[in-house]
Amino acid sequence: KCRTGPLDIVFVIDSSRSVRPFEFETMRRFMMDIISNLDVGPNATRVGVIQYSSQVQNIFSLKTFFTRADMERAINSIIPLAQGTMTGLAIQYAMNVAFTTQEGARPPHKRIPRIAIIVTDGRPQDRVTEVATQARNAGIEIYAVGIQRADMNSLRAMASPPLEEHVFLVESFELIQQFAKQFQDKLCGVDMCVEREHGCQHNCVSTPGSFYCECNPGYRLNVDGKTCSPIDACADGRHGCQHHCVSVRGSYSCRCRPGYYLSQNKRSCTMIDYCSFGNHSCQHECVSIPNGHYCRCRSGFTLQPDSKSCRATDLCNGVDHGCEFKCVSTEGSYHCVCPEGQQLQPDGKTCSKCGAGHVDLVMVIDGSKSVRPQNFELVKQFVNRIVDLLEVSPHGTRVGLVQYSSRVRTEFPLNKYHSADEIKKAVMDVEYMEKGTMTGLALKHMVEHSFSELEGARPLSHNIPRIGLVFTDGRSQDDISEWARRAKESGIVMFAVGVGKAVEEELRAIASEPVEQHFSYSADFTTMTHLVENFSLNICPEEGKGETEIRSPCECEALVQFQTNTVAILQSLTEKNILWTRSLAQMTARLEDLEKQIANKK
């Protein structure tokens, strides 16, 4: 057995069409003869096998098998590739894949020799000199074994120096098994740790034709390559101590700064909770700090000069204001406000959404590669801000969503969800498609499918406006003109939103008339939220005509509310005028009675 120390050995076997079947069988036996004399195991020698022709195939890697029986079964199951002879490609694979730690090679700092045994019978069809040099520079020792028709110059270009110990040429496949014994002796050699006075202070590790010294755990090898010194376990920064690392011979311990104690994991530190002692006297909150504590008031309160008690300053936090959306404090008072697109109701607390115009709205968003994942999340937030402005219900506004890139996908049709919360959740769950920008294909899909009654669009006879909003960040890779025209001809009111590199000419082609009211642009995804105001889709259909008039957000509701309030005020004034007239008549009658009484007395 080869007991000079662990090795990482990878056989690189030529299985090109020039290797006949019975010749390949001798190559199998060559590998198995060498493996049979190796001390294999996870902590001993590891073996991998790759074969190549016009391509490279991994038979098993250095981490796959650790017994000779398993290795022999895998070698016997190899089916030759029988194509060209790309030896340079095979060396590249061995360097970049086979000898990586992911495939089972031991890390370089363990100094386990990495040995590649290349067995070939012909001249390489690609360049080997440069890639072989790179492999040798990467620490791979290359043995080049040529059989019968092999090119000696190529063998010498691949092998490690000295060439007389790393280049072998066998006259025929029949002789390769006899050569295996000779090669085994060359590979293993003698145990240099036994044969020589190595001088290692701790451990000697033998390698083919040489040896090196290793230190026990907790020590490092000195520059003389033989003696060992204790390692400062804290110096490499891998100790994991949160505060201080204290080095001990070959080990370390962690310590904490004053005001902290060491946690159970012996690495992290936890601040002492001085508030838990129960003597802080804080009216609201106690906050622990290293070596002490301080008092803190809840939001809307101010800490008093005694540093313990609190007094309210923000009435919104000090009273039950009842605001549906947000309370705004003022000097000695407060008032309620609503989000953009919603109006404060007469009760001064609740908010109403724009509900006068119910529509079928389909948003078509660009999911091409140019949008990028982080910007696509902003697009979804943009969509949800529009949804916030709508009164979504089965009999009110319905919303559908389509995403496109090189293909088109309906994320959800008009009849899928019946509330704003359901739609917003579905929007945030949409996955980014990437790839191309086929805006014309997306418009075709919208016209033919999204606004069909099958997907939830209400019949045209119901006079429910159909709104299409197209969002894009670049030039379309297909023609948009035909389907943009068909969309508008079919009665769909089209809005176009462009960001970044969107083309204004295409946006105008998509948008309905008047164009200036139906398209908008933002130079950057992070600044496009202002576009929500421009595209507040509250549609107010004129009664009986089935036509759609685009108005400002909540304009219809505001007009109705104004009319209602005006009528109420006029009615109140009229009632007061009637009462005043009656009172005046009664007073006149009394005056007339008094005048009669005075006249009678005279």
Side-chain angles (χ1 to χ4, degrees):
K1 304 297 181 187
C2 184
R3 302 188 182 278
T4 58
L7 305 170
D8 286 342
I9 299 177
V10 174
F11 289 93
V12 183
I13 303 301
D14 180 356
S15 64
S16 59
R17 66 174 62 91
S18 62
V19 180
R20 287 166 287 189
F22 72 91
E23 294 174 338
F24 192 80
E25 293 305 316
T26 61
M27 295 175 72
R28 292 188 209 266
R29 177 50 53 192
F30 168 72
M31 288 187 285
M32 290 190 289
D33 286 347
I34 292 180
I35 292 173
S36 67
N37 289 295
L38 296 175
D39 182 19
V40 298
N43 299 317
T45 293
R46 300 183 182 182
V47 178
V49 175
I50 62 177
Q51 68 165 333
Y52 73 94
S53 60
S54 296
Q55 57 186 347
V56 181
Q57 181 186 35
N58 181 49
I59 305 302
F60 58 87
S61 62
L62 292 167
K63 65 180 180 181
T64 307
F65 301 124
F66 298 113
T67 66
R68 282 182 291 275
D70 289 337
M71 295 176 186
E72 289 178 1
R73 277 193 293 271
I75 291 172
N76 281 324
S77 66
I78 298 174
I79 299 175
L81 299 173
Q83 296 174 1
T85 310
M86 303 296 284
T87 310
L89 181 65
I91 297 174
Q92 186 82 39
Y93 181 90
M95 177 176 60
N96 293 341
V97 180
F99 280 109
T100 61
T101 55
Q102 291 85 350
E103 291 297 307
R106 264 73 64 96
H109 71 270
K110 291 193 174 182
R111 302 179 66 178
I112 304 298
R114 296 181 175 183
I115 298 174
I117 302 174
I118 302 173
V119 183
T120 180
D121 80 323
R123 182 188 298 274
Q125 294 176 337
D126 57 355
R127 297 181 178 181
V128 298
T129 303
E130 182 178 350
V131 69
T133 301
Q134 293 175 357
R136 295 193 298 268
N137 292 340
I140 301 174
E141 186 177 0
I142 300 177
Y143 286 86
V145 181
I147 304 173
Q148 200 169 333
R149 299 172 292 273
D151 177 55
M152 177 57 76
N153 290 332
S154 298
L155 297 177
R156 295 172 65 87
M158 292 186 287
S160 296
L163 297 179
E164 60 271 13
E165 295 183 7
H166 293 82
V167 177
F168 303 93
L169 184 61
V170 183
E171 295 179 357
S172 67
F173 281 91
E174 291 78 6
L175 298 176
I176 192 170
Q177 287 180 259
Q178 300 176 19
F179 164 72
K181 177 62 172 65
Q182 175 188 356
F183 185 79
Q184 177 70 36
D185 294 340
K186 183 69 65 175
L187 184 64
C188 292
V190 297
D191 190 338
M192 302 300 290
C193 291
V194 175
E195 298 295 327
R196 293 186 180 181
E197 180 62 35
H198 53 75
C200 297
Q201 182 179 353
H202 286 179
N203 305 307
C204 176
V205 179
S206 183
T207 62
S210 185
F211 69 91
Y212 63 90
C213 298
E214 273 190 349
C215 297
N216 293 331
Y219 292 81
R220 55 178 165 77
L221 196 65
N222 293 328
V223 293
D224 61 5
K226 296 184 178 182
T227 60
C228 301
S229 299
I231 294 175
D232 182 357
C234 297
D236 60 5
R238 295 183 295 178
H239 49 77
C241 296
Q242 184 176 355
H243 287 180
H244 303 301
C245 177
V246 180
S247 184
V248 186
R249 180 179 292 268
S251 185
Y252 66 91
S253 62
C254 299
R255 291 182 185 175
C256 297
R257 295 192 295 267
Y260 294 80
Y261 63 89
L262 195 64
S263 302
Q264 291 184 350
N265 61 15
K266 303 300 181 184
R267 286 182 172 83
S268 60
C269 298
T270 303
M271 188 172 65
I272 298 172
D273 186 2
Y274 290 95
C275 294
S276 64
F277 297 166
N279 59 353
H280 53 76
S281 302
C282 298
Q283 182 181 353
H284 283 183
E285 301 172 359
C286 175
V287 181
S288 288
I289 58 175
N291 299 322
H293 74 279
Y294 67 90
C295 296
R296 182 173 63 191
C297 296
R298 292 191 295 270
S299 179
F301 292 82
T302 303
L303 191 65
Q304 298 304 292
D306 62 2
S307 298
K308 295 181 180 180
S309 57
C310 302
R311 186 170 66 186
T313 54
D314 186 352
L315 290 177
C316 287
N317 288 321
V319 299
D320 184 14
H321 53 75
C323 296
E324 179 182 344
F325 177 67
K326 184 178 181 181
C327 175
V328 178
S329 290
T330 57
E331 185 67 24
S333 183
Y334 70 91
H335 65 274
C336 301
V337 296
C338 294
E340 290 183 9
Q342 300 185 27
Q343 289 184 324
L344 191 66
Q345 293 300 291
D347 62 5
K349 296 182 179 181
T350 60
C351 303
S352 68
K353 295 184 179 181
C354 300
H358 297 154
V359 300
D360 286 345
L361 169 64
V362 174
M363 288 180 274
V364 182
I365 59 174
D366 186 346
S368 60
K369 186 176 182 181
S370 61
V371 174
R372 300 181 182 273
Q374 64 271 26
N375 291 331
F376 191 73
E377 294 302 312
L378 296 177
V379 173
K380 294 196 288 186
Q381 295 175 21
F382 173 83
V383 170
N384 279 345
R385 290 198 63 182
I386 293 179
V387 173
D388 281 336
L389 298 176
L390 304 173
E391 187 174 298
V392 178
S393 68
H395 301 291
T397 292
R398 298 182 182 180
V399 178
L401 183 66
V402 173
Q403 183 187 176
Y404 72 96
S405 58
S406 297
R407 57 189 178 88
V408 185
R409 181 174 71 204
T410 297
E411 301 295 351
F412 52 84
L414 288 165
N415 57 5
K416 178 71 172 180
Y417 300 112
H418 305 306
S419 70
D421 289 340
E422 288 179 312
I423 291 173
K424 290 166 67 176
K425 182 180 183 302
V427 169
M428 297 313 295
D429 290 339
V430 169
E431 295 183 358
Y432 180 36
M433 293 175 70
E434 295 191 50
K435 297 189 178 179
T437 310
M438 304 294 284
T439 311
L441 183 64
L443 290 170
K444 180 177 185 293
H445 180 91
M446 180 194 71
V447 173
E448 293 183 338
H449 300 285
S450 301
F451 282 106
S452 66
E453 294 183 23
L454 182 65
E455 292 198 4
R458 284 161 286 195
L460 292 173
S461 60
H462 288 188
N463 291 334
I464 302 296
R466 295 182 173 184
I467 308 298
L469 190 154
V470 178
F471 183 100
T472 181
D473 84 317
R475 183 182 295 275
S476 177
Q477 294 173 339
D478 61 349
D479 179 64
I480 67 166
S481 58
E482 179 183 357
W483 286 102
R485 175 180 54 80
R486 289 197 186 185
K488 289 176 279 191
E489 289 177 350
S490 66
I492 302 172
V493 179
M494 295 299 299
F495 286 81
V497 181
V499 176
K501 297 182 179 180
V503 180
E504 181 177 348
E505 178 182 320
E506 293 185 353
L507 298 176
R508 288 179 172 272
I510 294 171
S512 293
E513 295 289 339
V515 173
E516 297 301 327
Q517 296 181 16
H518 291 80
F519 96 95
S520 191
Y521 172 82
S522 178
D524 186 72
F525 283 87
T526 59
T527 61
M528 68 181 181
T529 54
H530 72 279
L531 299 180
V532 176
E533 298 175 8
N534 299 341
F535 293 94
S536 298
L537 303 177
N538 184 28
I539 308 302
C540 304
E542 295 182 3
E543 292 185 4
K545 294 184 179 179
E547 296 178 356
T548 301
E549 180 183 354
I550 312 301
R551 300 187 180 177
S552 300
C554 298
E555 182 180 339
C556 296
E557 185 175 350
L559 290 173
V560 172
Q561 186 66 47
F562 175 77
Q563 183 180 15
T564 302
N565 293 343
T566 302
V567 171
I569 292 171
L570 289 173
Q571 288 177 347
S572 176
L573 291 173
T574 302
E575 291 173 356
K576 290 180 180 180
N577 184 51
I578 292 172
L579 291 174
W580 180 80
T581 303
R582 289 177 180 174
S583 299
L584 181 60
Q586 292 174 355
M587 290 179 65
T588 303
R590 291 185 63 183
L591 286 172
E592 289 177 352
D593 289 341
L594 288 172
E595 288 177 352
K596 290 179 181 180
Q597 292 175 10
I598 294 171
N600 291 334
K601 287 182 180 180
K602 289 180 178 180

